[in-house]
Amino acid sequence: MFETIDVLKAQLDALRPLPTNSVRSLHEATVLEWTYHSNAIEGNTLTLKETKVVLEGITVGGKSIREHFEAINHREAIEWLESVVARHEPFNERLIKSIHQLVLKNIDDTNAGRYRQENVITAGAEHRPPDHLHLQPLMVELVDRYQNQKYHPVERAARLHVDFVGIHPFVDGNGRTARLLMNFDLMSSGYLPVIIKVEDRLAYYEALDKAHTSQCYQDYLTMVVEAEEEALKRCLSIVD
């Protein structure tokens, strides 16, 4: 299942160091599209072009302050994660809370970076997140399980996303945080960040719910592998 993406990754690695201008333009496009799609999945109504101008510092009329902050915060979270990857920092609870704090900054500062103190239901999903009283041991277990996994890096990143969302440790912002965590893991392993597109939202939610209710990760893993393959091919088409 991973043969194609591993071959593509090897081709990309063989071309390093990559052309500076190509890398810069690809990075800008990735940050924009990742931000747009991740927020759109959660209901943000900014279009791709509107997201671009918001990230350039321009206010879009008719859009809420929250939607503006969601775009700005998400870019800041990506940039912070990239610095974390560059410093080779480990995956732990502090990292998780720091990402979430950036996601909800100026939106819900009370709950930003803080595990939920109440129970929640995920609308439209069969899976029900665990009681808030069990969150701390579950998050400790999540980190421990991640650190001791022997899966292929792409499968490990996909499973991290699934398991994190299943716990649903925060009141809000779990989806964005999960996708940032997944890409943190991919980038830490030398792979490219993947973008789950808003057009695939239904399949994405169904794949997650299937993993949570039946422990079958295959549908979501396939989605991530295909997204990684798309990202690698796109990068190769620009730098090769």
Side-chain angles (χ1 to χ4, degrees):
M1 184 175 192
F2 307 106
E3 182 177 353
T4 299
I5 57 176
D6 285 345
V7 168
L8 291 171
K9 179 180 179 297
Q11 292 174 1
L12 183 62
D13 290 343
L15 295 172
R16 298 183 187 280
L18 304 176
T20 302
N21 291 331
S22 297
V23 170
R24 183 184 302 112
S25 63
L26 183 62
H27 178 264
E28 290 175 356
T30 298
V31 170
L32 171 61
E33 293 167 17
W34 178 1
T35 296
Y36 161 69
H37 284 286
S38 194
N39 282 334
I41 285 174
E42 305 301 333
N44 187 300
T45 65
L46 289 171
T47 65
L48 181 65
K49 290 182 179 179
E50 288 171 341
T51 302
K52 184 177 187 296
V53 298
V54 168
L55 296 182
E56 292 171 350
I58 301 172
T59 301
V60 177
K63 301 296 182 177
S64 69
I65 294 298
R66 178 186 177 112
E67 289 179 313
H68 284 76
F69 276 128
E70 284 177 346
I72 295 166
N73 289 356
H74 194 273
R75 179 182 60 184
E76 185 176 338
I78 293 174
E79 293 172 345
W80 182 77
L81 268 187
E82 289 172 337
S83 71
V84 169
V85 171
R87 294 193 299 269
H88 304 288
E89 293 191 17
F91 172 74
N92 52 38
E93 284 188 83
R94 184 190 64 80
L95 175 73
I96 295 170
K97 291 180 177 180
S98 295
I99 294 172
H100 186 259
Q101 194 279 327
L102 290 171
V103 167
L104 285 193
K105 187 176 68 172
N106 297 319
I107 296 172
D108 183 357
D109 290 323
T110 299
N111 290 303
R114 179 172 175 263
Y115 293 152
R116 57 183 167 86
Q117 303 295 306
E118 57 192 86
N119 293 331
V120 295
I121 295 177
T122 306
E126 183 179 342
H127 169 73
R128 182 164 183 171
D131 190 291
H132 71 93
L133 296 175
H134 303 313
L135 287 180
Q136 187 58 58
L138 285 171
M139 293 303 290
V140 171
E141 180 186 350
L142 175 74
V143 172
D144 181 68
R145 184 166 64 248
Y146 167 88
Q147 292 172 340
N148 292 286
Q149 281 183 4
K150 303 300 181 183
Y151 296 112
H152 184 282
V154 175
E155 180 168 2
R156 183 184 64 203
R159 284 177 173 268
L160 171 60
H161 176 293
V162 170
D163 294 344
F164 173 85
V165 171
I167 297 172
H168 208 85
F170 303 107
V171 171
D172 188 22
N174 292 281
R176 277 168 283 234
T177 301
R179 292 184 288 276
L180 286 159
L181 283 171
M182 175 176 65
N183 281 335
F184 157 77
D185 193 19
L186 288 171
M187 291 187 293
S188 294
S189 300
Y191 289 84
L192 299 181
V194 299
I195 298 172
I196 305 299
K197 297 180 179 178
V198 66
E199 294 85 359
D200 300 322
R201 177 167 47 187
L202 178 58
Y204 169 64
Y205 284 151
E206 288 177 342
L208 291 176
D209 205 32
K210 182 177 181 180
H212 295 148
T213 56
S214 66
Q215 296 302 300
C216 178
Y217 291 74
Q218 191 60 46
D219 289 357
Y220 185 63
L221 179 56
T222 298
M223 182 175 288
V224 174
V225 169
E226 290 175 350
E228 180 65 35
E229 182 177 339
E230 179 181 344
L232 287 165
K233 286 181 176 178
R234 180 189 191 186
C235 186
L236 283 166
S237 72
I238 294 173
V239 303
D240 194 356

